[in-house]
């Protein structure tokens, strides 16, 4: 083995290129099972971000359900999820272009089953008794008011006779039909709550005509978040609740709610998208379930009679989209050294079979940086969490006495979380000699309701403090160069990034991906799902307009004193391009180094391979110019004004 070459941090040559990341990597999501097949979703950057449903039979044959130009993606809540349903020999899916529901029945052509119009559908279930679907519908036909969300039924025959089953709440999700078809359960919530703040679980009888009888709430409220209701095979309703401060599993039987698990762990997730699943019934008396403890996933079997848990010994640290069937469980899993994959577990033997990997790249693991989970002190005597990735490349080492630049990552949401699984977009930086700190600031999921609620009224303050203090913690440990600290983030993480750059002087550069700069504009312009989110994160608007102005970077550009690069999709409906463009113009006027990289055809999050590649390389080029290191490869320059 050759000795590592001494070279400045940031200038290391890496085999992890933008081309490799997008050409060899897909996104994986939503798993479904039938008697003879496994289904999953693939998001393909090389096809313009098209979402494809795949079917794999027991003999290993894989077939694409929705060929081009069909794109299985719903825009309900803008973030989507729950875009398809398997029912017998049919697959139903929402098509992105027109947002209609389509049916793919084996042996026949794909046909629409919903009428044309400004409607969106998600989270469908199959009502076999009445030959129909039940799902969430979002109605955008009346442009004078916000969208209307309801639960609706849709017949298979394509007649377009959509019937409203439940209405009146601001939001609906998770319709679930009992095994005998006689009862329907679902979730609702209302402004200003988000589903991780407070939801209600409802149940109603379904009559012979398919209409709902009187509905009654059985759990939840303004301070209790319910997640993933499911009927057991014998007709008991299970659900996940955070009533104790941690999302645990419960069940409702004989008109009473009883706990199935009681752990300081998270069995639930924030419902940013539909179709999430953390547990499933393998049989009448056995549940297969995943939970997160300190940011790491575990898979367990739960005996429904004794409520005893038995853990599976698996090589994964992140598990999601769990489904189960007699004798097997299928889920998407990843680890610090394994890319996300669709994995099938034989429940009797413990054997694992990888059905599809997000990437087939084979690479020497000595190019990979393995995350260290750290807990560090932050403001107010509190502690925050993060994953630290040291700079690492088997071919290079830094010069004596030099410490690497640090790139702090602030995740989106902000009620989301990061994990420690293998991500080439992180390894892209570490393999070039740039350390990464991926922060689960206060407000993140995986650490209980109290940790999550610490962001209430404090967005733009505690999240920023945690990113700042995380960087300073590594400086104090002697891990990174205090003069080359950068921060990046997308969406809500973009706001945290811009606030950290504006209101603190720790970071020397930053990158905002479709980030929020004007909170007041966001409150006025954003879509229905998040239109009252800021009431909780900041305060009611317009009553506390003073807080919105005080925390908006756009109104404090005079305090910003370092270079920033902005990346923006021009069709973004969640954070419109004007937010980035106003910030760019303000920095331009001030004479600060600034770059702006807009992308035609992109929305909130980049899905096209050419744009993902361009953003990664442009950001690296930007840091090389700002921090003064040479690049190991040729990168198409970007225009940096005032540099």
């Amino acid at each position: 083995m050759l000795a590592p070459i001494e070279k400045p941090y940031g200038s290391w040559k890496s085999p992890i290129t933008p081309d490799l990341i997008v050409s060899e990597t897909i996104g994986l999501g939503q798993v479904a099972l039938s008697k003879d097949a496994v289904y999953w979703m693939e998001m393909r950057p090389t096809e313009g971000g098209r979402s494809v449903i795949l079917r794999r039979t027991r003999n290993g044959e894989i077939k694409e359900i929705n060929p081009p130009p069909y794109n299985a993606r719903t825009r309900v809540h803008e973030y989507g999820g729950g875009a398809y349903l398997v029912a017998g020999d049919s697959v139903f899916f929402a098509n992105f272009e027109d947002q209609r529901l389509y049916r793919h029945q084996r042996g026949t052509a794909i046909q629409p089953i919903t009428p044309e119009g400004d409607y969106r559908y998600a989270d469908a279930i199959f009502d076999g008794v009445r030959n129909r679907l039940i799902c969430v519908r979002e109605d955008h036909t009346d442009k004078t008011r916000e969208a209307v969300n309801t639960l609706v039924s849709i017949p298979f025959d394509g007649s377009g006779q959509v019937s409203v089953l439940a209405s009146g709440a601001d939001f609906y999700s998770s319709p679930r039909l009992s095994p005998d078809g006689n009862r329907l359960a679902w979730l609702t919530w209302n402004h200003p709550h988000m589903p991780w703040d407070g939801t209600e679980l409802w149940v109603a009888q379904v009559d012979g005509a398919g209409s709902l009888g009187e509905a009654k709430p059985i759990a939840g409220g303004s301070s209790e978040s319910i997640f993933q209701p499911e009927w057991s095979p014998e007709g008991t309703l299970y659900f996940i609740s955070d009533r104790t401060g941690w999302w645990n599993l419960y069940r409702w039987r004989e008109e009473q709610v009883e706990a199935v698990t009681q752990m300081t762990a998270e069995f639930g997730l924030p419902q940013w998208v539909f179709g999430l699943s953390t547990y499933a019934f393998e049989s009448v008396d056995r549940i297969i379930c995943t939970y997160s403890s300190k940011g790491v996933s575990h898979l367990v079997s739960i005996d429904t009679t004794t409520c005893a848990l038995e853990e599976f010994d698996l090589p994964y640290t992140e598990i999601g989209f769990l489904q189960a069937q007699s004798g097997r469980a299928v889920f998407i899993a990843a680890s610090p050294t394994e890319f996300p994959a669709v994995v099938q577990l034989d429940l009797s033997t413990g054997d694992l079979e990888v059905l599809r990997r997000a990437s087939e790249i084979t690479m020497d693991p000595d190019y990979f940086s393995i995350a260290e989970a750290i807990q560090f002190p932050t403001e107010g005597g509190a502690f925050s969490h993060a994953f630290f990735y040291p700079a690492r490349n088997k071919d290079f080492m830094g010069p004596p006495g030099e410490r690497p630049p640090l790139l702090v990552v602030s995740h989106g949401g902000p009620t989301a979380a990061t994990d420690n699984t293998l991500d080439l977009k992180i390894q892209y930086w570490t393999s070039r000699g740039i350390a990464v700190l991926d922060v689960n600031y206060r407000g993140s999921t995986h650490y209980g309701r109290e940790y999550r609620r610490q962001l209430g009224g404090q967005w733009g303050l505690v999240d920023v403090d945690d990113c700042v203090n995380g960087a300073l913690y590594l400086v104090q440990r002697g891990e990174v160069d205090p003069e080359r600290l950068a921060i990046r983030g997308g969406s809500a993480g973009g706001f945290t990034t811009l606030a950290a750059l504006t209101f603190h002087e720790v970071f020397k550069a930053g990158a905002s991906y479709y980030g929020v700069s004007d909170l007041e504009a966001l409150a006025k312009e954003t879509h229905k799902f998040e239109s009252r989110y800021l009431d909780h994160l900041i305060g009611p608007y317009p009553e506390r307009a003073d807080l919105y102005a005080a925390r908006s970077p756009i109104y404090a550009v005079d305090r910003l004193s370092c270079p920033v690069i902005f990346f923006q999709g021009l069709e973004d409906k969640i954070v419109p391009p004007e937010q980035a463009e106003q910030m760019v113009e303000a920095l331009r006027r001030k004479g600060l180094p600034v770059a702006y990289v807009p992308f035609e055809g992109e929305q909130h999050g980049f899905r096209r391979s050419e744009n993902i590649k361009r953003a990664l390389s442009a950001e690296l080029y930007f840091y090389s110019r700002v921090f003064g290191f040479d690049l190991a490869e040729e990168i198409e320059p970007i225009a940096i004004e005032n540099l």
Side-chain angles (χ1 to χ4, degrees):
M1 181 182 294
L2 296 176
I5 299 170
E6 184 180 296
K7 202 166 186 181
Y9 292 106
S11 298
W12 300 352
K13 185 172 179 59
S14 170
I16 304 171
T17 64
D19 277 320
L20 184 74
I21 291 172
V22 299
S23 64
E24 302 293 337
T25 304
I26 58 172
L28 296 173
Q30 195 183 346
V31 173
L33 297 180
S34 68
K35 290 182 180 179
D36 61 350
V38 177
Y39 297 78
W40 65 84
M41 293 276 288
E42 293 184 3
M43 191 283 287
R44 299 174 176 174
T46 56
E47 296 185 30
R50 190 170 75 93
S51 292
V52 185
I53 307 163
L54 280 300
R55 177 178 183 266
R56 185 186 188 273
T57 61
R58 289 188 181 269
N59 64 13
E61 179 185 357
I62 297 179
K63 181 179 179 181
E64 188 173 296
I65 297 299
N66 56 312
Y70 295 107
N71 181 359
R73 181 180 166 203
T74 176
R75 288 186 60 190
V76 177
H77 295 176
E78 295 297 341
Y79 296 106
Y84 79 98
L85 167 72
V86 178
D89 64 352
S90 295
V91 178
F92 300 87
F93 65 90
N95 184 48
F96 181 71
E97 181 65 28
D98 57 11
Q99 289 297 295
R100 298 173 74 184
L101 284 181
Y102 286 76
R103 182 183 189 181
H104 175 282
Q105 187 174 23
R106 251 173 276 169
T108 64
I110 295 175
Q111 297 290 338
I113 66 165
T114 55
E116 294 181 345
D118 203 354
Y119 302 98
R120 304 172 185 179
Y121 305 89
D123 215 8
I125 59 167
F126 174 55
D127 182 355
V129 175
R130 302 164 188 88
N131 289 320
R132 64 179 183 172
L133 301 182
I134 297 174
C135 67
V136 176
R137 184 181 72 175
E138 195 169 79
D139 181 349
H140 290 258
T141 55
D142 187 346
K143 305 302 182 185
T144 66
R145 63 179 186 180
E146 69 177 11
V148 176
N149 294 64
T150 54
L151 288 184
V152 299
S153 66
I154 302 167
F156 289 175
D157 59 15
S159 63
Q161 297 299 312
V162 179
S163 300
V164 174
L165 297 178
S167 63
D170 290 323
F171 300 99
Y172 291 83
S173 79
S174 312
R176 299 293 185 265
L177 198 62
S178 61
D180 59 11
N182 292 331
R183 290 176 295 172
L184 184 72
W186 68 91
L187 297 178
T188 68
W189 65 97
N190 290 293
H191 289 316
H193 299 302
M194 300 299 284
W196 47 87
D197 296 325
T199 53
E200 293 182 340
L201 174 58
W202 293 78
V203 174
Q205 292 288 323
V206 185
D207 65 23
S211 298
L212 299 185
E214 183 180 355
K216 64 177 181 179
I218 64 168
S222 61
S223 59
E224 179 184 359
S225 174
I226 308 294
F227 172 80
Q228 195 192 341
E230 299 284 357
W231 296 94
S232 69
E234 90 285 2
T236 297
L237 182 60
Y238 284 70
F239 59 93
I240 290 171
S241 166
D242 70 349
R243 59 179 59 187
T244 65
W246 297 85
W247 270 313
N248 272 272
L249 186 62
Y250 295 80
R251 61 189 170 202
W252 179 64
R253 59 182 183 180
E254 298 178 356
E255 304 295 316
Q256 297 294 321
V257 172
E258 59 186 40
V260 177
T261 64
Q262 293 179 303
M263 297 171 59
T264 54
E266 297 284 51
F267 286 78
L269 296 168
Q271 297 178 72
W272 279 103
V273 297
F274 296 96
L276 299 172
S277 176
T278 62
Y279 72 98
F281 291 91
E282 185 266 344
S283 62
V284 171
D285 56 6
R286 191 184 193 191
I287 298 171
I288 307 301
C289 190
T290 181
Y291 69 85
S292 175
S293 177
K294 298 180 180 178
V296 175
S297 291
H298 302 260
L299 189 74
V300 296
S301 172
I302 302 177
D303 185 312
T304 60
T305 303
T306 65
C307 296
L309 275 68
E310 182 180 352
E311 184 162 349
F312 295 94
D313 184 15
L314 299 181
Y316 304 113
T317 58
E318 181 69 17
I319 299 170
F321 292 104
L322 172 66
Q323 297 292 330
Q325 211 175 58
S326 179
R328 63 173 175 165
V330 183
F331 43 82
I332 296 175
S335 78
T337 56
E338 292 285 336
F339 292 109
V342 180
V343 178
Q344 182 168 265
L345 171 66
D346 186 314
L347 296 172
S348 59
T349 66
D351 292 340
L352 293 168
E353 181 182 5
V354 174
L355 307 183
R356 180 71 160 116
R357 296 185 191 277
S359 176
E360 296 297 337
I361 295 170
T362 56
M363 187 175 294
D364 188 330
D366 284 340
Y367 286 113
F368 294 150
S369 178
I370 305 300
E372 173 195 355
I374 64 173
Q375 178 177 292
F376 55 89
T378 187
E379 303 303 311
F383 286 86
S384 188
H385 302 271
F387 293 107
F388 173 54
Y389 296 83
R392 186 186 186 194
N393 183 320
K394 70 171 187 174
D395 300 330
F396 297 95
M397 59 184 294
E402 182 181 340
R403 286 170 290 178
L406 175 68
L407 184 58
V408 172
V409 179
S410 54
H411 66 70
T415 306
T418 188
D419 58 55
N420 66 353
T421 58
L422 181 58
D423 183 348
L424 288 184
K425 290 180 182 177
I426 287 178
Q427 305 298 328
Y428 174 82
W429 302 105
T430 58
S431 61
R432 285 169 169 76
I434 299 172
V436 172
L437 183 69
D438 207 356
V439 183
N440 272 327
Y441 47 78
R442 286 169 288 172
S444 302
T445 307
H446 291 334
Y447 303 94
R449 185 181 181 96
E450 180 55 35
Y451 190 79
R452 204 165 67 239
R453 288 180 65 86
Q454 288 184 46
L455 199 62
Q458 302 297 309
W459 192 36
L461 301 176
V462 303
D463 51 321
V464 173
D465 288 339
D466 292 356
C467 288
V468 167
N469 286 317
L472 294 176
Y473 177 76
L474 293 178
V475 169
Q476 292 165 5
R477 280 186 12 176
E479 302 274 6
V480 298
D481 184 350
E483 298 304 315
R484 293 188 293 175
L485 304 178
I487 183 170
R488 76 191 300 264
S491 188
F495 166 69
T496 300
T497 292
L498 292 174
L501 295 169
T502 302
F503 301 111
H504 295 264
E505 297 181 353
V506 170
F507 297 106
K508 310 304 180 184
S512 169
Y513 283 72
Y514 36 91
V516 178
S517 62
D518 186 341
L519 292 170
E520 187 171 18
L522 181 66
K524 291 178 178 179
E525 298 171 5
T526 197
H527 59 124
K528 178 185 178 182
F529 180 61
E530 293 183 271
S531 63
R532 300 289 300 279
Y533 190 19
L534 300 188
D535 285 25
H536 168 72
L537 293 174
I538 299 171
Y541 182 83
E543 293 86 344
R544 293 312 311 268
D546 58 319
L547 294 179
Y548 286 70
R551 296 185 199 171
S552 293
I554 191 66
Y555 298 121
V557 176
D558 59 309
R559 298 183 59 177
L560 208 162
S561 58
C562 70
V564 187
I565 185 170
F566 294 83
F567 299 92
Q568 180 68 45
L570 294 181
E571 294 184 13
D572 193 336
K573 303 299 183 185
I574 296 173
V575 180
E578 291 76 19
Q579 294 246 348
E581 290 163 2
Q582 290 173 11
M583 198 75 181
V584 169
E585 180 57 32
L587 269 68
R588 182 182 291 134
R589 289 197 305 267
K590 192 179 179 186
L592 285 170
V594 62
Y596 180 46
V597 186
F599 293 115
E600 292 280 356
E602 290 285 14
Q603 299 177 342
H604 197 66
F606 305 152
R607 302 172 69 89
R608 298 182 180 181
S609 59
E610 63 272 22
N611 296 338
I612 296 170
K613 289 192 297 184
R614 181 56 175 153
L616 275 171
S617 59
E619 189 178 350
L620 176 61
Y621 177 86
F622 183 77
Y623 296 143
S624 73
R625 294 294 310 278
V626 171
F627 291 144
F629 57 80
D630 294 328
L631 293 171
E633 67 245 73
E634 274 207 31
I635 291 179
E636 180 185 349
I638 56 166
I640 305 175
E641 300 182 52
N642 302 324
L643 184 67

